[in-house]
Structure formats: structure tokens, C-alpha cells
Amino acid sequence: MASDHTRSAILAAAERLYADRGFGDVTLRDIVAEAGVNLAAVNYHFGSKDELIAELFVTRSIATNRERLRQLKDAEEQGGGRAPIEAILRALVGPPLRGCLGPENQRSTAARFMIRASIESVPPIRRIKNREIDHLRKFAGAMRRSLPDRSDVDIYWGLNFALAMAHHTIRESERLTKLSEGKCDLDDVEDVVARVVSVATMALTAGNAETKAPARALARDAR
Amino acid sequence: MASDHTRSAILAAAERLYADRGFGDVTLRDIVAEAGVNLAAVNYHFGSKDELIAELFVTRSIATNRERLRQLKDAEEQGGGRAPIEAILRALVGPPLRGCLGPENQRSTAARFMIRASIESVPPIRRIKNREIDHLRKFAGAMRRSLPDRSDVDIYWGLNFALAMAHHTIRESERLTKLSEGKCDLDDVEDVVARVVSVATMALTAGNAETKAPARALARDAR
DNA sequence: GATAGTTTCATACAAGTGTTTGAATTGCAA
DNA sequence: TTGCAATTCAAACACTTGTATGAAACTATC
């Protein structure tokens, strides 16, 4: 291949435009105009618009997932096969949080693109996300080894809640800032990571190992 | 007005189709075909496609919000102006969870529509969601009264995490079921509510009131 | 320098979109 | 019944979308 000048120009322009304006109203014509290439180049190099989007998303998400697994491996080796639950959770939520939060004006295009991807959820991206389960299973396994007394159900719920807090905070960071009138500092990423890890750890370790749902006894608003 | 037969037929058909197939690939022509009315009727009765979607979403979400506030009011009156934090959280996350989860085969069209709305997030819906902040402020206020020693920042983070767990569980209920191989029972809605409330309560009450992020000392994966 | 393969380009295509129009129909009141 | 407004309808409009085509330009190999 002579040079991927055109190909990478398209990728860069597409990522920038999607990051700025969302998937909804960016057309192939916008992209090729921004990239300074011909309209037909997209289909020539990528096959279709969806495959272009998929390639963008795959590139970014395998980077995140690789970093997650690296940190998980580190933590498990350091603990002799049994990492502390905090370290596992930090490996799970740290990379996406660090990748997407931080001072807005110095947020990378890639970061802004991933935020869009987590908000808008177009078909090609959803297809890829569905294949993420195997990746999550590795974390579930590590968590089980870390907390052998905990039931599988509790492990999965803990995993679910950890991801929930991380992703929701990314998706709704703007709203949280507005709601709290700036009191919640989303730019202090390490503080956010620590908060999420802390709560998720409590979720996974509180109460007796066999207690399914500690607060259940308090439920009284029947319906 | 003679009868809003046409109008309500459009609303019902649109909600059903959006619930089944998502906003992405349902056209006005699909809707009017399903409703058995003329294409122009949509613009005649609603002005535009976006206004139709907005009306659907507003109708459903004011129902949820009204129920939330009703339960909040009940809880505060019962506690003499200071509701227990669990009751406040239950009023916050209970209605949307009960509205969207539960056995799939007996899930209402409205429920499935709201799930779609929380997954796909089209422009008219996003606009409405942005106006939800005032509503959330009422809960922040109640939480502050319930936990007067807690800092505002902690209150907002607790609120954020509670919503995170509820919404993410709704959005990704299918994935959690698959990941856990059915071990997590999403149909037992009251158990889900209890779990979310329990974890959110811990997030809001654990540690000293002045501790910003208890797990922070454990952070060591510098990055 | 001719040739074969790759890449770029202008242009057209086919299909689908939400919206508008203006005439027909309906329903109700005088 | 007549008149009038509200509603319904078929049809067209105006436009955008992603994709396909076939010729032109380029690049490297022999």
C-alpha cells in the first residue's frame, strides 16, 4: 500500500466530527469535506458508513480493554492470583473514566468520541458492545477469586453496579456538574475513580456473604 | 373536538412501534400504516415527528415523576419533614425500575418504550431530559434534610450513583442476564430496588461525614 | 516507457425521508 | 338544508441519504 493518507484522513475527520456533533447529524459528505477527499473514498476504503464507524469504535475500545486487562493482570500477579477487590474494580472502571473524563478543554478527540458512543448508541456500535461479555467474564472470574465467600449473584450485581456508576458518570457528567452547581469536580478523575471503587467495594463486601439484599427488610412501600 | 380517535391511534401505534423496533428505523409511514390513518395526520395533529416523540415521552415521564414525588412526600410527612434516606432513595429509583423491569412477556408497551428511550436517546427526548434537573433538586433537598451532616458534594454523588445503578440496570438488563447466565433475576423487581437502595444508602452513609472518598488511600495504580 | 494494478474523482442513482398542499369529506350548528 | 369549520386524504414536494459507476490519474514493476 502506497500510503494510507486518504484512509487515515477519513478516520481522523470522522472521529472529530462525530465527537463534536454526534452520529445523528454527520453525513458522509460532511466527513469527506472535512477530510478533503472524495465522497467515494469512504466506500472504497471501508465498504460502508457503518464499517467506518465500527472501525473507529473498535480501535478505541480495544485500547481501553487492553489497558483494563493489563492492570488486572498486574493486580493478580502482585497478589499471587488473588487481587484485592479494590484493585480489580479499579482496573475495570479506571481506564474508561480516565479516558473520558478530565478537563474538558484538554479532552482528546478520542475521549469525546467515546463519550458520544456511550450516549447515542448507534447500531454498529451496539453490535460491538454485545461482544464485550467475554471480556467482562474475566473480571467476574477475578472477583470471584478475590471474594470466594461471595455468591455468584452478588458478584455479578457488584460488577453491574460498578460499570453502572462509571458509565453513567461519563454519560451524565454535564448534568451532574449542573445539578451540583459545580460542586462535584469531574475534572479530578482520580477522585471519581476512588469514589466509584469505594462504593462498588462496599456493595460487594457489606453484610454477610449470604445476605442477598440487606436493605430488603426495610422495604415497605409495597405496590 | 369530535373525537381524538386519529390522534390517539397515532400515539398508540407510534409507542408500540418505537418500543418494538427502536427510534432508528421507524418512519412516519410505518406509524400511519400501523394506525390505519393518513400520513398527513401526524403533522396535522402533532406538528412534526419530533413533537410526536416528545409528547409520548413527556406523558410517560411525568407519570413516573409524579409517582416519585408522591412517594417522597409520603416519606417526608411520615418522618415529620425528615425522611429516612432509604425511603427517599426508594422513592427515586423505585418508580422507574418498577415501570421498566419485570417479566418480559408481561411488560407493557409503555415500559418497553421507556427502555428504548433510555437506550437510544434521540434529540427530542434528550431535550426533555435536560429539564429534569429541577425535579432532581427536590430529591437532593430531601436527602440533605435527611443527612444534615453530609456535605453537599457527597449528597450529589450519592444521588448520581443511585440513578446510575437504576438506569444502567434498566438499559443493560439483557446483558446482565446473559453475563450472569440467568443467575441475576431481573424479574424480581423488588429485589432489584432493594439492592440499589442498599448500595446507594451505603454510599451516602459510610465513613465519616467529612471523608470525601474513603478508598482513596488505597489508590496506588498511579497511571 | 509501456503495462497492470491501485487509488481518486465527478457524477449519477435509487430510495427514503419528513413535510406541505389543496381538494374532498365529515360533523355540527344555525 | 345551508354554511362553516375541523378533519381526512392522495399526491406531490423538496431534499438528503448512502452507494455505485466508469473514466481519469497515479504508482510501481518490468
Side-chain angles (χ1 to χ4, degrees):
Chain A
M1 187 172 295
S3 93
D4 342 329
H5 168 274
T6 301
R7 206 186 135 83
S8 43
I10 291 172
L11 284 170
E15 186 167 46
R16 187 165 49 244
L17 288 179
Y18 285 141
D20 286 346
R21 294 159 35 190
F23 297 97
D25 54 81
V26 172
T27 71
L28 287 188
R29 283 166 177 81
D30 294 332
I31 294 172
V32 297
E34 177 89 356
V37 304
N38 187 272
L39 174 59
V42 174
N43 288 278
Y44 178 79
H45 286 282
F46 298 94
S48 71
K49 183 194 189 183
D50 277 9
E51 289 175 80
L52 166 62
I53 294 179
E55 172 151 345
L56 280 171
F57 185 70
V58 166
T59 304
R60 297 306 177 194
S61 67
I62 66 173
T64 299
N65 287 348
R66 185 164 38 212
E67 177 63 13
R68 276 175 162 172
L69 289 180
R70 194 190 66 72
Q71 293 188 19
L72 176 61
K73 187 164 146 269
D74 278 8
E76 289 213 300
E77 281 173 359
Q78 208 160 337
R82 233 172 260 213
I85 188 66
E86 286 94 344
I88 298 172
L89 290 169
R90 202 155 37 236
L92 181 71
V93 303
L97 282 171
R98 275 188 278 264
C100 293
L101 292 184
E104 186 160 354
N105 49 30
Q106 64 186 53
R107 227 175 263 170
S108 70
T109 306
R112 282 156 42 236
F113 172 82
M114 288 304 274
I115 296 173
R116 284 284 181 193
S118 89
I119 293 177
E120 297 195 10
S121 180
V122 298
I125 290 183
R126 230 169 307 156
R127 273 192 289 273
I128 294 163
K129 274 190 183 150
N130 284 344
R131 297 191 219 118
E132 222 189 12
I133 292 196
D134 289 338
H135 181 254
L136 293 182
R137 264 189 230 289
K138 293 181 184 141
F139 280 86
M143 290 164 70
R144 222 181 335 247
R145 285 189 291 280
S146 176
L147 303 172
D149 292 339
R150 215 72 203 182
S151 73
D152 277 7
V153 186
D154 283 354
I155 296 283
Y156 290 122
W157 274 109
L159 180 56
N160 177 63
F161 287 156
L163 288 174
M165 291 185 281
H167 288 166
H168 182 92
T169 302
I170 290 169
R171 282 169 57 95
E172 307 285 350
S173 63
E174 218 171 296
R175 189 172 72 168
L176 178 55
T177 302
K178 207 182 298 177
L179 175 66
S180 71
E181 289 163 323
K183 290 188 187 110
C184 291
D185 183 10
L186 278 292
D187 292 349
D188 185 353
V189 188
E190 295 311 319
D191 179 56
V192 177
V193 173
R195 282 179 183 276
V196 172
V197 169
S198 159
V199 175
T201 301
M202 285 190 285
L204 279 158
T205 58
N208 299 333
E210 284 313 302
T211 306
K212 260 184 67 180
R216 190 149 197 197
L218 290 167
R220 61 175 154 67
D221 59 333
R223 190 273 183 296
Chain B
M1 187 175 295
S3 94
D4 26 355
H5 166 274
T6 301
R7 204 186 138 84
S8 43
I10 291 172
L11 284 170
E15 186 167 47
R16 187 164 50 242
L17 288 179
Y18 285 141
D20 285 346
R21 295 160 33 191
F23 298 97
D25 52 78
V26 171
T27 71
L28 287 188
R29 284 169 176 81
D30 294 333
I31 294 172
V32 297
E34 177 88 358
V37 305
N38 186 270
L39 174 59
V42 173
N43 288 279
Y44 177 79
H45 285 281
F46 297 94
S48 71
K49 183 193 190 183
D50 277 10
E51 289 175 82
L52 166 60
I53 294 178
E55 173 150 345
L56 280 171
F57 185 70
V58 165
T59 303
R60 296 307 176 193
S61 66
I62 66 173
T64 299
N65 287 347
R66 186 165 34 211
E67 177 62 15
R68 277 175 162 172
L69 290 180
R70 195 190 64 72
Q71 293 188 18
L72 176 63
K73 186 165 147 270
D74 277 8
E76 289 212 301
E77 281 174 356
Q78 207 159 337
R82 231 172 264 211
I85 188 68
E86 286 93 345
I88 297 172
L89 290 169
R90 201 157 36 237
L92 182 70
V93 303
L97 283 171
R98 276 187 278 264
C100 292
L101 293 183
E104 187 161 353
N105 48 30
Q106 65 186 55
R107 228 175 261 170
S108 70
T109 306
R112 283 156 41 235
F113 172 82
M114 288 304 272
I115 296 173
R116 285 283 181 193
S118 90
I119 293 178
E120 298 195 11
S121 180
V122 301
I125 289 182
R126 229 169 308 156
R127 273 193 288 274
I128 294 163
K129 275 191 183 151
N130 284 342
R131 297 192 219 115
E132 221 189 12
I133 292 197
D134 288 338
H135 181 253
L136 293 181
R137 262 188 231 289
K138 293 183 184 138
F139 280 86
M143 290 163 71
R144 221 181 338 246
R145 284 190 291 279
S146 175
L147 303 171
D149 292 339
R150 214 72 203 184
S151 73
D152 277 7
V153 186
D154 285 353
I155 296 283
Y156 290 122
W157 275 110
L159 180 56
N160 177 64
F161 287 156
L163 288 174
M165 292 185 280
H167 288 167
H168 182 92
T169 301
I170 290 168
R171 281 168 58 96
E172 308 284 350
S173 62
E174 219 171 296
R175 189 171 73 167
L176 178 56
T177 302
K178 208 182 297 177
L179 175 67
S180 71
E181 291 163 321
K183 290 188 187 108
C184 292
D185 183 11
L186 277 293
D187 292 349
D188 185 352
V189 188
E190 294 310 320
D191 179 57
V192 177
V193 173
R195 283 180 181 276
V196 171
V197 169
S198 159
V199 175
T201 301
M202 286 191 283
L204 279 158
T205 57
N208 298 333
E210 283 313 301
T211 306
K212 260 184 68 180
R216 189 149 199 195
L218 291 167
R220 61 176 154 65
D221 61 333
R223 185 274 182 292

